[in-house]
Amino acid sequence: MAMPLRQSIKVATYLAEQKIRRRDKFPLIVELEPLFACNLKCEGCGKIQHPAGVLKQRMPVAQAVGAVMESGAPMVSIAGGEPLMHPQIDEIVRQLVAKRKYVFLCTNAMLLRKKMDQFTPSPYFAFAVHIDGLRERHDESVAKEGVFDEAVEAIKEAKRRGFRVTTNSTFFNTDTPQTIIEVLNFLNDDLQVDEMMISPAYAYEKAPDQEHFLGVEQTRELFKKAFSGGNRRRWRLNHSPLFLDFLEGKVDFPCTAWAIPNYSLFGWQRPCYLMSDGYVPTYRELVEDTDWDKYGRGKDPRCANCMAHCGYEPTAVLATMGSLKESLRAMRETVSGNRE
């Protein structure tokens, strides 16, 4: 299942509007970072390496909501840092939901049970909990024991209260097809989360651990084996069929990082949240003043091993919309998933 039917229809309508307007670059989802501070020190992330003065900053509500509205994107992923540490995160979510934006609040879930009363279930809102493996693997990746168990309890409580809950899992070269199968089976079957997003780890330059990122061929082999035996169709994966084909190496795509832009305390980040080549104050400047042709595999050496969703999922979505065959295929999977 790529996404809920209502959300699929809204995104499809939005894409059709961009085509009518003949816009060749536009955002699908904004990655909003209203703070960089976090209560964990994950090995694959370098956000908390910012200076102490930056880590104390919190984006004002009006600035956060204004950036999303300026972009026009139908969806927003609120990350950080840990967004639940923002004292007005509930108001940011409330205002975006009121404007009919689909909001995914990314969290490590350490504060989720404490903060859950501040939020209201809505078809436009979901908690997106970071889960990188079962107990031992996950706690190792976040460098703290007990995080996995707390995340599991928080997910159960959120589901009990009627919230949509999705998960985000990053896999490294220490993973095997079996470790991927185990965690996705657990999330899909035991916890019964609404959707799961998966991503091969990209060599984020500020991450403390630089030894365990996947290469392109490693990624393709890993997911090809993990998806075998009908797993891919059975799991409630929050991805387009073509992006999953891409992870397996069945198709290849260019990067369209402009479609999932990052907005943080510094502004709109060039060219994506994984690489920092400067910031601009508006999305229009990001799109019009960035030399997008110089990025991507075979162009920029930093992109050589990247297969991250922020660059390639939107390419897959656009390719789907441009093909009747792929559109029907995606529609079948969406309808089938929503019947489960």
Side-chain angles (χ1 to χ4, degrees), residues 32-33 101 167 193 205 236 239 248 268 270 280 282 296 320 340:
L32 177 67
E33 295 180 330
K101 300 296 182 183
T167 54
V193 300
E205 62 182 0
R236 292 183 295 278
H239 294 288
E248 287 193 65
W268 295 96
R270 287 195 179 112
V280 292
T282 68
T320 298
E340 292 179 0

Side-chain angles (χ1 to χ4, degrees), residues 73 182 192 199 262:
E182 288 172 356
Q192 297 184 9
S199 183
N262 174 274

Side-chain angles (χ1 to χ4, degrees), residues 283-304:
Y283 178 73
R284 182 174 180 178
E285 289 177 78
L286 175 72
V287 169
E288 295 181 355
D289 298 343
T290 302
D291 184 2
W292 299 104
D293 291 336
K294 73 178 184 180
Y295 296 107
R297 292 204 305 272
K299 299 176 181 179
D300 188 315
R302 295 173 296 177
C303 303

Side-chain angles (χ1 to χ4, degrees), residues 44-280:
C45 175
K47 297 293 183 179
I48 61 172
Q49 292 187 13
H50 286 292
V54 173
L55 293 179
K56 292 178 181 178
Q57 294 179 30
R58 304 292 184 263
M59 187 181 294
V61 174
Q63 181 181 345
V65 175
V68 176
M69 298 309 294
E70 178 227 335
S71 75
M75 300 178 286
V76 55
S77 172
I78 305 178
E82 171 51 55
L84 288 178
M85 293 176 64
H86 193 295
Q88 295 175 294
I89 189 61
D90 56 327
E91 182 61 17
I92 293 175
V93 169
R94 188 192 68 77
Q95 290 195 23
L96 289 170
V97 167
K99 296 179 184 299
R100 298 295 188 265
K101 300 296 182 183
Y102 283 93
V103 180
F104 297 85
L105 195 157
C106 303
T107 176
N108 57 40
M110 292 294 289
L111 296 172
L112 183 51
R113 287 197 286 178
K114 179 180 179 181
K115 301 277 189 174
M116 204 175 297
D117 287 338
Q118 299 177 13
F119 302 91
T120 303
S122 166
Y124 289 93
F125 175 66
F127 290 114
V129 181
H130 189 80
I131 299 288
D132 278 351
L134 296 181
R135 182 179 291 106
E136 183 178 352
R137 294 187 71 82
H138 181 71
D139 286 356
E140 181 181 6
S141 74
V142 301
K144 186 174 181 177
E145 292 185 4
V147 176
F148 177 83
D149 289 339
E150 177 59 32
V152 167
E153 291 305 312
I155 289 172
K156 290 179 179 178
E157 179 63 13
K159 292 284 291 180
R160 186 187 70 80
R161 296 195 191 190
F163 288 98
R164 289 188 64 233
V165 180
T166 69
T167 54
N168 181 8
S169 301
T170 303
F171 298 110
F172 297 81
N173 64 12
T174 51
D175 277 292
T176 66
Q178 188 58 35
T179 63
I180 293 176
I181 290 169
E182 288 172 356
V183 68
L184 295 183
N185 277 346
F186 175 75
L187 296 172
N188 191 85
D189 303 334
D190 293 41
L191 286 186
Q192 297 184 9
V193 300
D194 293 278
E195 297 168 316
M196 302 175 291
M197 189 172 75
I198 57 179
S199 183
Y202 168 78
Y204 182 62
E205 62 182 0
K206 293 184 179 180
D209 182 359
Q210 291 289 321
E211 298 180 3
H212 297 123
F213 293 109
L214 287 160
V216 172
E217 292 307 318
Q218 285 179 297
T219 296
R220 290 169 174 167
E221 189 65 20
L222 186 64
F223 285 105
K224 182 179 180 180
K225 291 180 179 178
F227 288 161
S228 65
N231 284 330
R232 172 176 155 174
R233 187 170 182 82
R234 185 175 61 82
W235 290 329
R236 292 183 295 278
L237 297 174
N238 186 19
H239 294 288
S240 64
L242 275 179
F243 179 73
L244 299 178
D245 287 349
F246 169 76
L247 289 182
E248 287 193 65
K250 294 179 178 179
V251 296
D252 201 7
F253 292 121
C255 174
T256 51
W258 44 263
I260 305 186
N262 174 274
Y263 184 79
S264 70
L265 293 163
F266 300 142
W268 295 96
Q269 183 171 329
R270 287 195 179 112
C272 65
Y273 85 97
L274 294 168
M275 293 165 54
S276 180
D277 285 357
Y279 300 84
V280 292

